[in-house]
Amino acid sequence: MTTTPAIPHVVGVLGGGRMGAGIAHAFLIKGATVIVVERDHESAAGAQGRVADAVAKSAARGTLGGTAEETMARFSTSTDYGSFVHCGLVVEAVPEDYELKVSALKAVEEHLSADAFLASNTSSLSVTGLASQLRRPANFVGLHFFNPVPASTLIEVVLAKETSPELAATAKSWTEALGKTAVVVNDAPGFASSRLGVAIALEAMRMVEEGVASAEDIDAAMVLGYKHPTGPLRTTDIVGLDVRLGIAEYLHSTLGERFAPPQILRDKVARGELGRKTGKGFFEWAD
């Protein structure tokens, strides 16, 4: 299988959780050699398993150009940032914490060639702010993938003030080569997708809190009335209530009271009801 010309031959992903593994899988099945770097060997093994499972599912659907074994031969994990040295692109996919992302991005940049590109999968943090901490801000862009990555057809390309025109165009071509659609936005709190998605979700939570309707009926109204594939509360469960709370708090601090997190969200997060990953959020999850 040959690499799609628009995709870098070697792609790195920092963080191999659900999102990182999904990003790795997206590039891997399109022909890139992919390296995931994790914080320790246990986490790296988990990333290996998640990507292998995703590749096996792609093979079962007949969407691989070769076999699962041939595809996985182009995948590796590491705990060493130096493993990124030959990457044309590294996508950071660590938790949504500004200081953590700055630290991670600066560490990755130290190991990249001068012409390599660096991206963040942040869903709400300032891409311009992150870029300002880097030595080569022109080579940095936001690539906001959506969960679950294999099923999603959207990537939000977020341009920092110093993102080069070359990278802006190239990032759009990467998205198209991955079989997804690019939505290009200039850096602003929450971009387009998170700002709109969180606004709807927070209002849905307030409606549950006020007893307006059940979570099931609120979601059904959006699915049946507005053709949303899933309702805002089920989507919140899939994304993670803790993730939604973090985004809401950031938007609250930058855009004002309309993004203030409802108490029901804070209470559920405090109880560990984080959605699908813990088995309970606004809904019960069996898997």
Side-chain angles (χ1 to χ4, degrees):
M1 182 175 182
T2 57
T3 303
T4 304
I7 296 176
H9 288 283
V10 185
V11 175
V13 180
L14 181 63
R18 183 185 294 271
M19 287 303 301
I23 294 166
H25 169 262
F27 282 100
L28 189 62
I29 65 173
K30 294 300 183 179
T33 293
V34 178
I35 302 158
V36 168
V37 170
E38 262 289 4
R39 62 184 181 276
D40 54 43
H41 293 292
E42 182 180 359
S43 299
Q48 179 81 27
R50 281 185 282 273
V51 173
D53 287 346
V55 168
K57 290 176 182 176
S58 293
R61 290 192 296 267
T63 56
L64 290 182
T67 66
E69 291 75 17
E70 290 168 341
T71 301
M72 287 303 294
R74 290 183 278 103
F75 178 74
S76 61
T77 61
S78 174
T79 59
D80 180 7
Y81 282 50
S83 300
F84 289 142
V85 66
H86 297 299
C87 292
L89 166 69
V90 173
V91 182
E92 166 271 309
V94 303
E96 196 77 348
D97 176 272
Y98 182 79
E99 296 302 328
L100 175 62
K101 285 186 181 290
V102 167
S103 175
L105 289 166
K106 291 172 75 171
V108 171
E109 188 183 43
E110 291 298 318
H111 297 279
L112 299 183
S113 63
D115 59 350
F117 296 115
L118 184 55
S120 175
N121 183 51
T122 180
S123 56
S124 65
L125 298 177
S126 171
V127 176
T128 298
L130 295 172
S132 71
Q133 303 299 311
L134 301 175
R135 292 187 290 109
R136 294 188 292 275
N139 286 21
F140 181 71
V141 69
L143 289 180
H144 179 202
F145 289 77
F146 289 76
N147 184 27
V149 177
S152 172
T153 58
L154 173 66
I155 297 177
E156 198 170 27
V157 177
V158 185
L159 307 181
K161 288 181 179 179
E162 294 192 53
T163 300
S164 70
E166 174 201 359
L167 177 52
T170 300
K172 187 174 181 180
S173 73
W174 292 335
T175 300
E176 294 166 351
L178 291 175
K180 301 182 187 297
T181 299
V183 172
V184 181
V185 300
N186 292 316
D187 184 36
F191 318 139
S193 60
S194 291
R195 188 164 169 174
L196 288 169
V198 170
I200 294 170
L202 294 180
E203 190 58 30
M205 293 174 203
R206 293 185 189 102
M207 291 168 69
V208 173
E209 194 171 55
E210 295 166 8
V212 173
S214 67
E216 290 84 357
D217 284 348
I218 291 168
D219 273 10
M222 297 306 294
V223 171
L224 300 175
Y226 291 88
K227 305 303 181 185
H228 288 205
T230 58
L233 298 171
R234 190 170 295 274
T235 299
T236 294
D237 273 14
I238 294 169
V239 170
L241 275 70
D242 53 337
V243 175
R244 274 279 158 92
L245 176 58
I247 295 171
E249 288 177 330
Y250 172 70
L251 294 178
H252 183 209
S253 70
T254 55
L255 296 175
E257 284 302 309
R258 66 189 186 276
F259 286 100
Q263 192 60 43
I264 190 173
L265 176 60
R266 295 190 183 279
D267 291 345
K268 282 183 173 292
V269 170
R271 290 195 299 267
E273 297 174 9
L274 307 183
R276 183 170 65 178
K277 59 189 172 186
T278 61
K280 184 177 182 181
F282 285 95
F283 297 91
E284 302 280 348
W285 296 83
D287 57 353

